[in-house]
Amino acid sequence: MFDNIENHEKWYRLWEAYDLTSDADFIASTRTLAFDLEDNGAWQQAAAIYTHLLPVVRSAYGEEDLSCIGIQYDLARFRGKAGKYDEAEALAAPLVGLRERIMGPTHQATLNVREELARCYLRTGKLEEAEAAYTLLLSLYSQQAEPDEVSRCRIIGNLGYIGKLYADCGALEPGYQKMTRYVGELRARVDRCDVNLTMSYPYLADICSRLGKYAEAEETLGELLTIEIEQGGGWGTNRNQTCFAIEEMGKFYANRRRYPEALAHWKKTETARSQQLDPDHRLTLMAKFHVAETLDQQGDTRAAISVVELIRKGNIRNVESAANKADYDSGFKELLETYSYLAHLYVEVGHLSDANDLLQEILLNLDGQEPQTALRLESDCCSSLGTILSHRNRLEDARAYRSRALSCYEQLSDPQQVMINTYKVGLSCSLIDLGRYEEVEALTKSSVENVEALIKGAAEVQDAIRDDAYDMVADLVLMLAYSHYYRLHYADAVPLLNRVLDMREKILRRSDSEMLNPLRVLGRCKMSLKEYSVAETLFRREVAGCEAEWGVGAERTDEAMEGLLVVLYEQEKYMECDKLIEAYYTKGGPWFEVIDGGRKPQGTSGGRSQLDVKEREAEEAMARRRRQVDMDSHDFDLDKTDLVRVFRLSKL
């Protein structure tokens, strides 16, 4: 084949030198050369030849000459392959009438150019024109003496894909109706393993999920997975299509926050990819990343770190073995992205020095990266560095890094509104730490309005995206509430905190464990406003949530219990205080004692005067706990958790 191409190229240069480009033999030879080039993937070269040849042939023979029409059609295809759909449309549109008049409406050449034009409409977002073009094509194929069933099924598949594009534009219900209609037609026409049908399943499942039809989405993806397993002869063959079907199930379960099921599917994908490709192949490493992400989402961050460490080693091996600059650059980019995620996980578990080292390494190696990639990585790094510096009480430095993170992200060509507001929440935290409450109010108010407008502007929003947007509104409103609370504007903070709790409980269906901070602050506001019974209810919810999340005796749980005891004490519920103190101590918590000059709660032990014994017991318990900590991290914030102190009850 390549010898043939070389001969054709020599012929092309020879005839061109003698100015014989309009010769019929030369045109036929050049078209054969273009076909050979296309077969070998060199369609850009074929397009260049046709671009030169088309005006010569059109001038010599006229635009209705079959050679001229054929060259123009092929050039339209090449323009489409290059993503230049407007140019492809301009070339293909005039040919429809010409081929229809010369060859007839149902001739395959006429149908080919109609399909190319429909494809251009599809790729440029002209959905109504594309749907009309594909519907007409389906009718014309049916009118053929011997209908081409393969092409008809392909057209039906494309009509189904148009339903997916309608859904992507926000028209979920019309998209769903179109997709189910054409998937139903394919099921009636083809074998269940037909590629046009199986390719439609993920699109249909995605639309079902966005509409809240989760059972139908799960059933559709389950059917796809069953088909692919049967096609591959079971799990052992590790076909690419089977892996893709497993990944789709994993994504579905992750979006539904069904993490154990998602994790099981990601692990199957990882095993299959590793056997099918290579342990360090980018698709295998991507499957490992999904495993790590899901482990982190279900709270096992240390296990996630172990997996990401394996990904990092694979990235390093890929960089070291890169065969060319393109492979090296791609591998190095993936390595930096892995470092960024690993640093984020280190921050979560308190390995602050390890995280800081990784983040500084990333920032030093951004110069050679593509500008958009560099901005994205810089924003991630600066956000994490802001968190680290905040933990270390370097508040102004933390604010500067978080401000830089927001600035970098806003410079991206495709910034997501939800992510921008994530960085605004981080910056708001720093501003609150610095007491710059007016700036927090100015930063968050407009952002809340923007996100709410985003949600209202798309009435039918994908479930996971909608949840993220509502989460962001809740976080921004919480920052706004804090700005009022720390200025002692309790009455202004209360409705905002109630709104946060209402959103997280009723809209997002979150558990108490994800509402502990607003519960705590609202309880304190109500107590300051002397609404003690309401405050008591809130503190009881907070204590229950802290016990479920961290257990009895954790610092956060102890602080919640302290708040509850204070509000009970303010209501003179002394006996109830005694019972709570005794019960909490019995379950493994510290002993509480009133030291503000008021009466001491009388527990069944008569007040437990031997506090020194309790302090020693608490210190021994913490020593056992500390031995379980990964001491490889030399910066685990032990100064705050060094001792489980004996809490003394005092006014907040």
Side-chain angles (χ1 to χ4, degrees), residues 227-329:
I227 290 169
E228 296 299 357
I229 291 172
E230 289 175 359
Q231 280 283 92
W235 294 104
T237 55
N238 302 323
R239 295 167 63 249
N240 186 56
Q241 294 93 325
T242 308
C243 290
F244 173 75
I246 304 169
E247 287 170 352
E248 289 298 311
M249 285 296 291
K251 289 176 188 175
F252 171 78
Y253 288 131
N255 286 335
R256 297 295 302 136
R257 294 183 169 86
R258 290 164 61 176
Y259 298 126
E261 292 157 289
L263 184 60
H265 282 79
W266 293 133
K267 285 184 174 179
K268 285 177 182 175
T269 308
E270 179 196 349
T271 302
R273 292 290 191 198
S274 184
Q275 294 173 0
Q276 174 194 24
L277 301 167
D278 178 81
D280 292 339
H281 191 280
R282 60 179 301 277
L283 291 176
T284 309
L285 297 179
M286 181 59 70
K288 278 185 167 65
F289 174 81
H290 287 309
V291 169
E293 192 175 44
T294 309
L295 286 167
D296 183 40
Q297 287 167 334
Q298 65 180 20
D300 197 351
T301 307
R302 292 184 183 277
I305 288 173
S306 299
V307 176
V308 178
E309 286 285 5
L310 295 175
I311 298 172
R312 181 181 65 86
K313 291 174 182 176
N315 290 146
I316 291 171
R317 286 192 290 270
N318 287 340
V319 170
E320 290 175 343
S321 62
N324 52 58
K325 188 178 186 302
D327 288 348
Y328 178 88
D329 290 344

Side-chain angles (χ1 to χ4, degrees), residues 640-652:
K640 291 185 180 178
T641 56
D642 205 18
L643 286 175
V644 175
R645 54 196 171 89
V646 177
F647 284 84
R648 288 174 167 76
L649 189 58
S650 58
K651 299 264 179 130
L652 290 174

Side-chain angles (χ1 to χ4, degrees), residues 192-212:
R192 65 198 294 260
C193 301
D194 182 86
V195 67
N196 293 298
L197 179 58
T198 56
M199 284 178 65
S200 300
Y201 282 158
Y203 301 140
L204 177 57
D206 179 55
I207 297 173
C208 290
S209 291
R210 295 196 231 176
L211 286 169

